[in-house]
Structures are given as structure tokens and as C-alpha cells.
Amino acid sequence: KSVVAQFTASELITNRFMVSSKISNRLVERSREFGIELENVAITHLSFGREYSQAIEAKQVAQQEAERAKFIVDRARETKREIIAKAEGDKRAALKFNEAVKND
């Protein structure tokens, strides 16, 4: 527990080798106090509490919603640019038409 408490949950996953090594070293040291010699320690399963798992899931959902909102904003900006470009084109065409009518 003392080794695991030194890391954040994401570090436990991303730095698994270092965490495993520190846990192994601590277990070897601690077992020697009781006259037990460990040759090998393997961390094979690491799980998180239900609350943490729910928090991770909520964070992922929030990130996906933020990405979706960003996409919607970007799409709206592009639509705005298209509308402006079309309006400017229509304006130029109307001005040319008015000029042509005026000259005839």
C-alpha cells in the first residue's frame, strides 16, 4: 500500500514496470525482517475501486462530449463562412447586374 500510494492511478498503469519494481523491492525488504527470502514477485492484476472506474468513465464521456461540441462549433463556423462567401458573391452579381442595367 505504501508504494502504490506514491503514484496516481494513471501512473500505476503507465509506469507499471517501475511500480512493480518498487513493490517487489519493498516486499523483499519487508519479508527479510521475518526471515523469508523472496526470489521473484510478479504483479499480475491491478484493479481500481468502483468509484474510480466510474470517474474514469465519466471523464471519457465528458471528453467525447467536448470533442463533439468542438466539432459542432467548427462546422457552424464553416457554414457561416460559406454563407458569407455566397452573400458576397450574390452582392457582386447584383452590383454587376445593376451596373449593366444602368448602362443599357
Side-chain angles (χ1 to χ4, degrees):
K1 286 184 179 182
S2 65
V3 172
V4 172
Q6 297 172 15
F7 298 92
T8 65
S10 61
E11 290 173 336
L12 290 173
I13 295 168
T14 58
N15 299 326
R16 188 179 181 117
F17 178 76
M18 182 174 56
V19 173
S20 180
S21 178
K22 285 188 173 199
I23 291 172
S24 178
N25 291 340
R26 181 68 180 120
L27 286 172
V28 168
E29 290 171 11
R30 185 78 170 121
S31 65
R32 281 190 187 137
E33 295 174 12
F34 296 97
I36 300 171
E37 186 174 328
L38 297 177
E39 291 182 9
N40 188 14
V41 175
I43 309 299
T44 59
H45 182 70
L46 184 63
S47 63
F48 298 103
R50 190 188 62 177
E51 294 85 10
Y52 180 77
S53 297
Q54 289 173 340
I56 292 295
E57 184 177 339
K59 180 182 176 185
Q60 289 172 340
V61 168
Q63 286 174 330
Q64 290 169 352
E65 289 174 355
E67 285 295 319
R68 184 174 186 277
K70 182 182 178 296
F71 172 77
I72 290 170
V73 168
D74 289 345
R75 187 174 63 189
R77 285 184 179 144
E78 187 60 35
T79 301
K80 174 185 165 186
R81 285 187 203 108
E82 291 172 4
I83 291 169
I84 290 170
K86 183 181 182 313
E88 288 173 351
D90 290 347
K91 175 185 170 186
R92 276 187 248 124
L95 289 173
K96 284 185 180 188
F97 178 78
N98 286 341
E99 191 65 34
V101 169
K102 208 195 274 185
N103 290 336
D104 283 340

